[in-house]
Amino acid sequence: KAGVTQTPRYLIKTRGQQVTLSCSPISGHRSVSWYQQTPGQGLQFLFEYFSETQRNKGNFPGRFSGRQFSNSRSEMNVSTLELGDSALYLCASSLHSNQPQHFGDGTRLSIL
Amino acid sequence: GESVGLHLPTLSVQEGDNSIINCAYSNSASDYFIWYKQESGKGPQFIIDIRSNMDKRQGQRVTVLLNKTVKHLSLQIAATQPGDSAVYFCAEGRTSGSARQLTFGSGTQLTVLP
């Protein structure tokens, strides 16, 4: 069974731009969560989607948003990029919220 | 200002020895705990999980111990191998309705010496 797939793997943007990251969960998994990983803050929860509905949200500004499609694929969007948004963005999927989350290899976003 | 990187605790063990990685959690309401392994350039890989109604769970070469009294979690790896070198994260979760949110620790860098 294929794992969680995130695209693109690497992305370079400049301040003020916006970016969309994509995540395809493991087949059959309906819960998708997004995390930001930085050397300074570690792994921080962004939000969780289940059946196209956001069920949980972390402590991030409104510039960070996401959505989930009917096939469980998810996208996250960051608008008005700041230097501090440079990070590894990780997506994790699980069968249900109370099952272990399985991570993709992330999208490395660099802001110049 | 420039952000300072997390200073990861480190653990070095000889190949073949057992490793014990410790984690303190903060929320007494957490009812689920999970260990992940992250190798360089990859996402976290699920190792083992445990619910709060248990105090021990075993997998293949790994054992997780949970002490709710002191809010402490440990991961034991038997016969550590070079491929076990990675950063290990513990995470605590609290189930609210049908949703569960994970909070991750800062990680421990495990290095296996030949």
Side-chain angles (χ1 to χ4, degrees):
Chain A
K1 185 185 270 191
V4 177
T5 304
Q6 292 188 245
T7 56
R9 285 298 312 275
Y10 303 94
L11 205 47
I12 299 175
K13 292 286 188 178
T14 57
R15 283 183 300 172
Q17 288 187 309
Q18 67 92 29
V19 67
T20 299
L21 312 181
S22 180
C23 172
S24 293
I26 293 171
S27 178
H29 284 194
R30 298 170 63 190
S31 172
V32 174
S33 297
W34 288 89
Y35 295 84
Q36 181 195 66
Q37 186 175 31
T38 61
Q41 300 296 323
L43 263 160
Q44 292 190 293
F45 172 76
L46 279 156
F47 26 66
E48 183 212 357
Y49 287 87
F50 185 88
S51 293
E52 303 178 66
T53 301
Q54 186 182 91
R55 291 210 297 197
N56 247 326
K57 190 176 191 306
N59 189 25
F60 278 82
R63 298 186 298 108
F64 292 81
S65 63
R67 59 177 176 169
Q68 186 180 33
F69 302 96
S70 58
N71 61 358
S72 293
R73 192 176 69 83
S74 178
E75 291 180 346
M76 68 163 281
N77 184 279
V78 188
S79 62
T80 319
L81 286 164
E82 302 176 359
L83 292 177
D85 297 333
S86 293
L88 180 67
Y89 289 89
L90 291 160
C91 168
S93 75
S94 59
L95 199 59
H96 299 287
S97 293
N98 60 358
Q99 297 294 315
Q101 295 179 7
H102 297 270
F103 284 82
D105 287 336
T107 293
R108 173 74 61 185
L109 175 64
S110 298
I111 311 303
L112 304 179
Chain B
E2 183 180 355
S3 62
V4 178
L6 284 173
H7 178 66
L8 291 182
T10 59
L11 175 66
S12 297
V13 298
Q14 282 309 128
E15 182 178 354
D17 286 353
N18 296 335
S19 303
I20 299 176
I21 301 171
N22 296 302
C23 177
Y25 64 93
S26 57
N27 192 342
S28 55
S30 293
D31 57 7
Y32 175 76
F33 304 87
I34 189 166
W35 281 99
Y36 285 94
K37 168 188 179 183
Q38 188 173 24
E39 297 173 280
S40 181
K42 295 188 175 182
Q45 177 187 355
F46 169 76
I47 302 173
I48 192 168
D49 60 356
I50 187 169
R51 286 176 166 74
S52 60
N53 60 354
M54 303 171 68
D55 52 24
K56 180 179 180 179
R57 191 169 186 215
Q58 289 184 289
Q60 188 176 12
R61 280 202 309 120
V62 294
T63 301
V64 57
L65 298 178
L66 174 63
N67 185 330
K68 294 182 287 294
T69 303
V70 296
K71 291 192 281 189
H72 183 267
L73 191 67
S74 68
L75 177 70
Q76 300 178 2
I77 305 173
T80 313
Q81 302 168 0
D84 295 328
S85 292
V87 177
Y88 289 79
F89 293 96
C90 67
E92 57 181 301
R94 187 164 56 91
T95 306
S96 176
S98 55
R100 177 189 286 151
Q101 179 175 330
L102 293 180
T103 301
F104 282 80
S106 57
T108 295
Q109 173 73 59
L110 174 66
T111 302
V112 181
L113 306 171

